[in-house]
Amino acid sequence: MIKFGLSRAGALPLAAALLAAMPAAQAATPKKPQPAASPPSAGTSTTEQLGTVGPWSAYASRDKTGRVCYLVGQPEKSDSAGTPRKAPTAMVTHRPAENISNVVSFVEGYPLKEGSDVAVEIGDRKFELFTKDDGAWARTAELDRTIVSTLANGKSVVVKGTPQKGRPTTDVYSLAGFAKALALIDKACGIKREDTAAPAVKPASGKPPPRKRAKRPAANG
């Protein structure tokens, strides 16, 4: 068992790959790749840290398409099954100018087995996410909303991925603070939510470090 003691700053470069990989249309259409949305210019004056609640940090930025709000989290414990990997990361992202919200994504930190799904378990609820390279996404906007709502009301989430070689890995994310961090990005991007209510937290100071730009795949069936 490997436990990650990650700094939030160190996790942001990994999160950038997911943020930049979002589709231009929120609902991923199998076998019909969508143009990738551009990532925000992180590390500039347009990037704002909204707050940190437990293992979850909330940010707002702006790119050529408009306002972008996202939260980033890291697992409290991981079983990497002997597979070399970078630190795993979870995200939820809103892009209101593109009518995109609640996009759930995970970076597993290693090349995932082609055609495999990443299993997400929250209490007694189970979901399957499609994969590309080392990332995983929900197949539809409706599934995104369902997963986010379940995360906001859960205690922990277990994420299981299958590498190209080796045994499946397991990451456990604590959901303490998730609902509050979600409320921060909802407010910053004007996202209305009826099923999740959380009090605001005091904004944190500081800015995330520069993040790399990347491309986003579409679901392949």
Side-chain angles (χ1 to χ4, degrees):
M1 180 72 70
I2 300 175
K3 293 187 178 181
F4 287 100
L6 302 176
S7 68
R8 294 181 178 88
L12 284 171
L14 293 177
L18 285 169
L19 182 62
M22 284 176 50
Q26 182 182 18
T29 305
K31 300 182 181 180
K32 292 183 180 180
Q34 301 288 341
S38 299
S41 300
T44 70
S45 60
T46 61
T47 302
E48 176 187 4
Q49 184 175 0
L50 302 174
T52 295
V53 192
W56 302 95
S57 294
Y59 298 93
S61 187
R62 184 175 296 276
D63 64 11
K64 63 183 180 181
T65 65
R67 187 79 159 166
V68 182
C69 306
Y70 56 98
L71 61 83
V72 183
Q74 299 85 45
E76 60 178 354
K77 57 183 179 180
S78 294
D79 182 354
S80 296
T83 300
R85 68 191 301 200
K86 297 179 181 178
T89 305
M91 286 185 69
V92 176
T93 307
H94 301 324
R95 289 180 178 268
E98 298 176 80
N99 198 30
I100 292 173
S101 61
N102 301 300
V103 177
V104 178
S105 49
F106 292 90
V107 164
E108 288 296 273
Y110 56 79
L112 288 152
K113 183 177 180 181
E114 186 175 356
S116 69
D117 286 341
V118 161
V120 175
E121 301 178 6
I122 311 163
D124 59 357
R125 301 291 301 276
K126 297 183 179 181
F127 307 95
E128 293 185 346
L129 278 58
F130 81 89
T131 61
K132 178 68 175 180
D133 298 327
D134 67 345
W137 295 264
R139 288 182 167 85
T140 68
E142 181 180 1
L143 182 56
D144 270 325
R145 290 191 296 270
T146 299
I147 293 175
V148 169
S149 177
T150 308
L151 288 169
N153 291 286
K155 295 182 178 180
S156 66
V157 54
V158 180
V159 181
K160 298 180 180 180
T162 303
Q164 290 181 355
K165 296 180 180 180
R167 296 184 293 113
T169 65
T170 302
D171 302 313
V172 180
Y173 293 78
S174 169
L175 293 174
F178 178 90
K180 291 182 179 180
L182 181 64
L184 289 175
I185 65 170
D186 284 354
K187 181 178 180 180
C189 268
I191 303 300
K192 303 300 181 181
R193 192 179 304 278
E194 297 180 357
D195 57 354
T196 301
V201 297
K202 184 178 181 180
S205 59
K207 300 176 183 176
R211 298 178 297 148
K212 297 180 180 179
R213 304 172 79 90
K215 294 183 178 180
R216 161 71 156 92
N220 291 317

Short mmCIF file of all heavy atoms in Angstrom, two decimals, residues 68-111:
data_model
loop_
_atom_site.label_atom_id
_atom_site.label_comp_id
_atom_site.label_asym_id
_atom_site.label_seq_id
_atom_site.Cartn_x
_atom_site.Cartn_y
_atom_site.Cartn_z
N VAL A 68 -13.54 29.66 -16.52
CA VAL A 68 -13.34 28.25 -16.26
C VAL A 68 -13.15 28.06 -14.76
O VAL A 68 -12.33 28.74 -14.14
CB VAL A 68 -12.09 27.69 -16.98
CG1 VAL A 68 -11.94 26.20 -16.73
CG2 VAL A 68 -12.16 27.98 -18.48
N CYS A 69 -13.92 27.17 -14.14
CA CYS A 69 -13.83 26.91 -12.71
C CYS A 69 -13.63 25.41 -12.50
O CYS A 69 -14.27 24.60 -13.17
CB CYS A 69 -15.10 27.37 -11.99
SG CYS A 69 -15.53 29.09 -12.29
N TYR A 70 -12.76 25.05 -11.58
CA TYR A 70 -12.46 23.64 -11.39
C TYR A 70 -11.97 23.36 -9.98
O TYR A 70 -11.40 24.23 -9.32
CB TYR A 70 -11.43 23.16 -12.42
CG TYR A 70 -10.14 23.95 -12.42
CD1 TYR A 70 -9.01 23.49 -11.75
CD2 TYR A 70 -10.05 25.16 -13.10
CE1 TYR A 70 -7.84 24.20 -11.76
CE2 TYR A 70 -8.87 25.90 -13.11
CZ TYR A 70 -7.76 25.41 -12.44
OH TYR A 70 -6.60 26.14 -12.44
N LEU A 71 -12.22 22.14 -9.53
CA LEU A 71 -11.67 21.69 -8.25
C LEU A 71 -10.77 20.49 -8.51
O LEU A 71 -10.98 19.74 -9.47
CB LEU A 71 -12.78 21.37 -7.24
CG LEU A 71 -13.81 20.28 -7.52
CD1 LEU A 71 -13.26 18.90 -7.17
CD2 LEU A 71 -15.08 20.54 -6.74
N VAL A 72 -9.75 20.36 -7.67
CA VAL A 72 -8.72 19.33 -7.83
C VAL A 72 -8.54 18.60 -6.52
O VAL A 72 -8.50 19.22 -5.45
CB VAL A 72 -7.37 19.96 -8.25
CG1 VAL A 72 -6.33 18.87 -8.50
CG2 VAL A 72 -7.53 20.83 -9.48
N GLY A 73 -8.43 17.27 -6.57
CA GLY A 73 -8.20 16.48 -5.36
C GLY A 73 -7.23 15.35 -5.60
O GLY A 73 -7.03 14.91 -6.74
N GLN A 74 -6.61 14.87 -4.54
CA GLN A 74 -5.69 13.73 -4.59
C GLN A 74 -6.16 12.65 -3.62
O GLN A 74 -6.82 12.97 -2.62
CB GLN A 74 -4.27 14.16 -4.24
CG GLN A 74 -3.67 15.21 -5.16
CD GLN A 74 -4.06 16.61 -4.75
OE1 GLN A 74 -4.01 16.97 -3.56
NE2 GLN A 74 -4.44 17.43 -5.70
N PRO A 75 -5.84 11.40 -3.89
CA PRO A 75 -6.30 10.32 -2.99
C PRO A 75 -5.58 10.35 -1.66
O PRO A 75 -4.44 10.80 -1.55
CB PRO A 75 -5.95 9.05 -3.79
CG PRO A 75 -4.83 9.46 -4.68
CD PRO A 75 -5.09 10.89 -5.04
N GLU A 76 -6.27 9.84 -0.64
CA GLU A 76 -5.65 9.75 0.68
C GLU A 76 -4.81 8.47 0.79
O GLU A 76 -3.89 8.39 1.61
CB GLU A 76 -6.71 9.79 1.79
CG GLU A 76 -7.73 8.68 1.75
CD GLU A 76 -8.71 8.77 2.91
OE1 GLU A 76 -8.50 9.64 3.77
OE2 GLU A 76 -9.67 7.99 2.94
N LYS A 77 -5.11 7.48 -0.03
CA LYS A 77 -4.29 6.28 -0.07
C LYS A 77 -4.44 5.59 -1.42
O LYS A 77 -5.47 5.74 -2.10
CB LYS A 77 -4.66 5.31 1.06
CG LYS A 77 -6.11 4.87 1.09
CD LYS A 77 -6.36 3.98 2.30
CE LYS A 77 -7.82 3.55 2.38
NZ LYS A 77 -8.08 2.68 3.56
N SER A 78 -3.38 4.88 -1.82
CA SER A 78 -3.38 4.22 -3.12
C SER A 78 -2.69 2.87 -3.02
O SER A 78 -1.71 2.71 -2.28
CB SER A 78 -2.65 5.06 -4.17
OG SER A 78 -3.34 6.26 -4.43
N ASP A 79 -3.20 1.90 -3.77
CA ASP A 79 -2.53 0.62 -3.95
C ASP A 79 -2.16 0.55 -5.43
O ASP A 79 -3.02 0.34 -6.29
CB ASP A 79 -3.46 -0.53 -3.57
CG ASP A 79 -2.79 -1.89 -3.71
OD1 ASP A 79 -1.64 -1.94 -4.21
OD2 ASP A 79 -3.40 -2.90 -3.33
N SER A 80 -0.89 0.78 -5.73
CA SER A 80 -0.45 0.84 -7.12
C SER A 80 -0.10 -0.52 -7.69
O SER A 80 0.26 -0.62 -8.87
CB SER A 80 0.77 1.77 -7.23
OG SER A 80 0.40 3.08 -6.87
N ALA A 81 -0.22 -1.57 -6.91
CA ALA A 81 -0.02 -2.95 -7.37
C ALA A 81 1.31 -3.14 -8.08
O ALA A 81 1.44 -3.94 -9.01
CB ALA A 81 -1.17 -3.37 -8.29
N GLY A 82 2.32 -2.38 -7.67
CA GLY A 82 3.65 -2.51 -8.26
C GLY A 82 3.80 -1.80 -9.59
O GLY A 82 4.85 -1.90 -10.23
N THR A 83 2.79 -1.06 -10.02
CA THR A 83 2.83 -0.34 -11.29
C THR A 83 3.48 1.03 -11.11
O THR A 83 3.01 1.83 -10.31
CB THR A 83 1.41 -0.15 -11.86
OG1 THR A 83 0.81 -1.42 -12.08
CG2 THR A 83 1.45 0.62 -13.17
N PRO A 84 4.56 1.34 -11.85
CA PRO A 84 5.15 2.68 -11.78
C PRO A 84 4.13 3.70 -12.27
O PRO A 84 3.48 3.49 -13.30
CB PRO A 84 6.35 2.58 -12.72
CG PRO A 84 6.64 1.13 -12.85
CD PRO A 84 5.31 0.44 -12.75
N ARG A 85 3.99 4.80 -11.56
CA ARG A 85 2.99 5.78 -11.96
C ARG A 85 3.30 7.15 -11.38
O ARG A 85 4.02 7.27 -10.40
CB ARG A 85 1.60 5.33 -11.49
CG ARG A 85 1.42 5.35 -9.98
CD ARG A 85 0.16 4.69 -9.47
NE ARG A 85 -1.06 5.27 -9.99
CZ ARG A 85 -2.25 5.12 -9.40
NH1 ARG A 85 -2.35 4.42 -8.26
NH2 ARG A 85 -3.33 5.65 -9.93
N LYS A 86 2.73 8.17 -12.01
CA LYS A 86 2.74 9.51 -11.45
C LYS A 86 1.57 9.61 -10.48
O LYS A 86 0.68 8.75 -10.46
CB LYS A 86 2.60 10.54 -12.57
CG LYS A 86 3.76 10.54 -13.55
CD LYS A 86 3.54 11.56 -14.65
CE LYS A 86 4.69 11.54 -15.64
NZ LYS A 86 4.49 12.52 -16.75
N ALA A 87 1.55 10.66 -9.70
CA ALA A 87 0.49 10.81 -8.70
C ALA A 87 -0.87 10.97 -9.36
O ALA A 87 -1.03 11.77 -10.28
CB ALA A 87 0.78 12.02 -7.83
N PRO A 88 -1.88 10.20 -8.93
CA PRO A 88 -3.23 10.31 -9.49
C PRO A 88 -3.93 11.59 -9.04
O PRO A 88 -3.61 12.16 -7.99
CB PRO A 88 -3.95 9.07 -8.94
CG PRO A 88 -3.21 8.75 -7.68
CD PRO A 88 -1.78 9.13 -7.93
N THR A 89 -4.88 12.04 -9.86
CA THR A 89 -5.58 13.31 -9.61
C THR A 89 -7.03 13.21 -10.05
O THR A 89 -7.34 12.56 -11.05
CB THR A 89 -4.92 14.46 -10.38
OG1 THR A 89 -3.53 14.52 -10.05
CG2 THR A 89 -5.56 15.80 -10.05
N ALA A 90 -7.94 13.85 -9.31
CA ALA A 90 -9.36 13.91 -9.68
C ALA A 90 -9.75 15.36 -9.89
O ALA A 90 -9.21 16.27 -9.22
CB ALA A 90 -10.22 13.30 -8.58
N MET A 91 -10.71 15.61 -10.81
CA MET A 91 -11.15 16.97 -11.09
C MET A 91 -12.64 17.02 -11.40
O MET A 91 -13.22 16.04 -11.88
CB MET A 91 -10.42 17.55 -12.31
CG MET A 91 -8.99 17.95 -12.06
SD MET A 91 -8.29 18.75 -13.54
CE MET A 91 -9.21 20.29 -13.54
N VAL A 92 -13.23 18.19 -11.14
CA VAL A 92 -14.56 18.54 -11.65
C VAL A 92 -14.42 19.93 -12.26
O VAL A 92 -13.83 20.82 -11.63
CB VAL A 92 -15.63 18.55 -10.56
CG1 VAL A 92 -16.97 19.02 -11.12
CG2 VAL A 92 -15.78 17.16 -9.95
N THR A 93 -14.93 20.13 -13.46
CA THR A 93 -14.72 21.38 -14.19
C THR A 93 -16.01 21.96 -14.74
O THR A 93 -16.88 21.22 -15.21
CB THR A 93 -13.74 21.14 -15.36
OG1 THR A 93 -12.55 20.51 -14.87
CG2 THR A 93 -13.38 22.44 -16.05
N HIS A 94 -16.13 23.29 -14.69
CA HIS A 94 -17.24 24.03 -15.32
C HIS A 94 -16.68 24.96 -16.39
O HIS A 94 -15.65 25.62 -16.17
CB HIS A 94 -17.96 24.92 -14.30
CG HIS A 94 -18.56 24.22 -13.13
ND1 HIS A 94 -19.13 22.97 -13.20
CD2 HIS A 94 -18.70 24.63 -11.83
CE1 HIS A 94 -19.60 22.63 -12.00
NE2 HIS A 94 -19.35 23.61 -11.16
N ARG A 95 -17.36 25.05 -17.54
CA ARG A 95 -17.07 26.03 -18.58
C ARG A 95 -18.41 26.63 -19.02
O ARG A 95 -18.97 26.24 -20.04
CB ARG A 95 -16.36 25.39 -19.77
CG ARG A 95 -14.91 24.97 -19.52
CD ARG A 95 -14.31 24.35 -20.78
NE ARG A 95 -12.94 23.97 -20.59
CZ ARG A 95 -11.89 24.76 -20.85
NH1 ARG A 95 -12.11 25.99 -21.31
NH2 ARG A 95 -10.66 24.34 -20.66
N PRO A 96 -18.96 27.55 -18.27
CA PRO A 96 -20.31 28.04 -18.54
C PRO A 96 -20.48 28.70 -19.91
O PRO A 96 -21.55 28.62 -20.51
CB PRO A 96 -20.57 29.04 -17.40
CG PRO A 96 -19.21 29.42 -16.91
CD PRO A 96 -18.37 28.19 -17.07
N ALA A 97 -19.44 29.36 -20.43
CA ALA A 97 -19.56 30.01 -21.73
C ALA A 97 -19.79 29.01 -22.85
O ALA A 97 -20.35 29.34 -23.89
CB ALA A 97 -18.30 30.84 -22.02
N GLU A 98 -19.38 27.76 -22.62
CA GLU A 98 -19.57 26.69 -23.60
C GLU A 98 -20.72 25.76 -23.20
O GLU A 98 -20.88 24.68 -23.79
CB GLU A 98 -18.29 25.88 -23.75
CG GLU A 98 -17.10 26.68 -24.27
CD GLU A 98 -15.83 25.87 -24.31
OE1 GLU A 98 -15.65 25.08 -25.26
OE2 GLU A 98 -15.01 26.00 -23.39
N ASN A 99 -21.48 26.18 -22.17
CA ASN A 99 -22.57 25.36 -21.66
C ASN A 99 -22.07 24.00 -21.19
O ASN A 99 -22.73 22.97 -21.40
CB ASN A 99 -23.67 25.19 -22.72
CG ASN A 99 -24.98 24.73 -22.11
OD1 ASN A 99 -25.29 25.03 -20.97
ND2 ASN A 99 -25.76 23.99 -22.88
N ILE A 100 -20.92 23.99 -20.56
CA ILE A 100 -20.30 22.77 -20.03
C ILE A 100 -20.19 22.90 -18.52
O ILE A 100 -19.73 23.93 -18.01
CB ILE A 100 -18.90 22.55 -20.62
CG1 ILE A 100 -18.99 22.23 -22.12
CG2 ILE A 100 -18.16 21.44 -19.90
CD1 ILE A 100 -17.65 22.18 -22.81
N SER A 101 -20.62 21.88 -17.80
CA SER A 101 -20.50 21.91 -16.34
C SER A 101 -20.42 20.49 -15.79
O SER A 101 -20.79 19.53 -16.46
CB SER A 101 -21.69 22.64 -15.71
OG SER A 101 -22.90 21.97 -16.01
N ASN A 102 -19.87 20.38 -14.58
CA ASN A 102 -19.83 19.11 -13.85
C ASN A 102 -19.04 18.01 -14.55
O ASN A 102 -19.33 16.83 -14.39
CB ASN A 102 -21.26 18.60 -13.58
CG ASN A 102 -22.07 19.57 -12.77
OD1 ASN A 102 -21.71 19.92 -11.65
ND2 ASN A 102 -23.18 20.05 -13.34
N VAL A 103 -18.03 18.38 -15.32
CA VAL A 103 -17.24 17.37 -16.02
C VAL A 103 -16.29 16.69 -15.04
O VAL A 103 -15.40 17.31 -14.48
CB VAL A 103 -16.45 17.98 -17.19
CG1 VAL A 103 -15.58 16.91 -17.85
CG2 VAL A 103 -17.41 18.58 -18.21
N VAL A 104 -16.51 15.40 -14.83
CA VAL A 104 -15.69 14.59 -13.92
C VAL A 104 -14.55 13.96 -14.71
O VAL A 104 -14.76 13.45 -15.81
CB VAL A 104 -16.52 13.48 -13.27
CG1 VAL A 104 -15.66 12.61 -12.36
CG2 VAL A 104 -17.68 14.07 -12.49
N SER A 105 -13.34 14.00 -14.15
CA SER A 105 -12.21 13.39 -14.84
C SER A 105 -11.17 12.92 -13.83
O SER A 105 -11.06 13.46 -12.74
CB SER A 105 -11.59 14.38 -15.83
OG SER A 105 -11.35 15.63 -15.21
N PHE A 106 -10.44 11.89 -14.23
CA PHE A 106 -9.39 11.32 -13.38
C PHE A 106 -8.14 11.10 -14.21
O PHE A 106 -8.22 10.62 -15.35
CB PHE A 106 -9.82 9.97 -12.79
CG PHE A 106 -10.94 10.06 -11.79
CD1 PHE A 106 -12.26 9.97 -12.20
CD2 PHE A 106 -10.67 10.23 -10.44
CE1 PHE A 106 -13.30 10.04 -11.30
CE2 PHE A 106 -11.71 10.31 -9.52
CZ PHE A 106 -13.02 10.22 -9.95
N VAL A 107 -6.98 11.42 -13.65
CA VAL A 107 -5.70 11.03 -14.22
C VAL A 107 -5.17 9.88 -13.36
O VAL A 107 -5.03 10.03 -12.14
CB VAL A 107 -4.70 12.20 -14.22
CG1 VAL A 107 -3.28 11.68 -14.43
CG2 VAL A 107 -5.03 13.17 -15.33
N GLU A 108 -4.91 8.74 -13.99
CA GLU A 108 -4.44 7.58 -13.24
C GLU A 108 -2.93 7.56 -13.07
O GLU A 108 -2.41 6.85 -12.22
CB GLU A 108 -4.92 6.30 -13.93
CG GLU A 108 -6.41 6.05 -13.79
CD GLU A 108 -6.81 5.82 -12.35
OE1 GLU A 108 -6.74 4.67 -11.89
OE2 GLU A 108 -7.16 6.80 -11.66
N GLY A 109 -2.21 8.30 -13.92
CA GLY A 109 -0.76 8.40 -13.73
C GLY A 109 0.04 7.31 -14.42
O GLY A 109 1.25 7.19 -14.20
N TYR A 110 -0.62 6.51 -15.27
CA TYR A 110 0.07 5.47 -16.05
C TYR A 110 -0.78 5.19 -17.30
O TYR A 110 -1.98 5.50 -17.31
CB TYR A 110 0.26 4.19 -15.24
CG TYR A 110 -1.02 3.63 -14.68
CD1 TYR A 110 -1.90 2.89 -15.49
CD2 TYR A 110 -1.38 3.82 -13.35
CE1 TYR A 110 -3.09 2.37 -14.98
CE2 TYR A 110 -2.56 3.32 -12.84
CZ TYR A 110 -3.41 2.59 -13.66
OH TYR A 110 -4.59 2.10 -13.17
N PRO A 111 -0.21 4.61 -18.36
CA PRO A 111 -0.99 4.28 -19.54
C PRO A 111 -2.04 3.21 -19.23
O PRO A 111 -1.69 2.12 -18.76
CB PRO A 111 0.05 3.76 -20.54
CG PRO A 111 1.36 4.32 -20.06
CD PRO A 111 1.24 4.35 -18.56
#
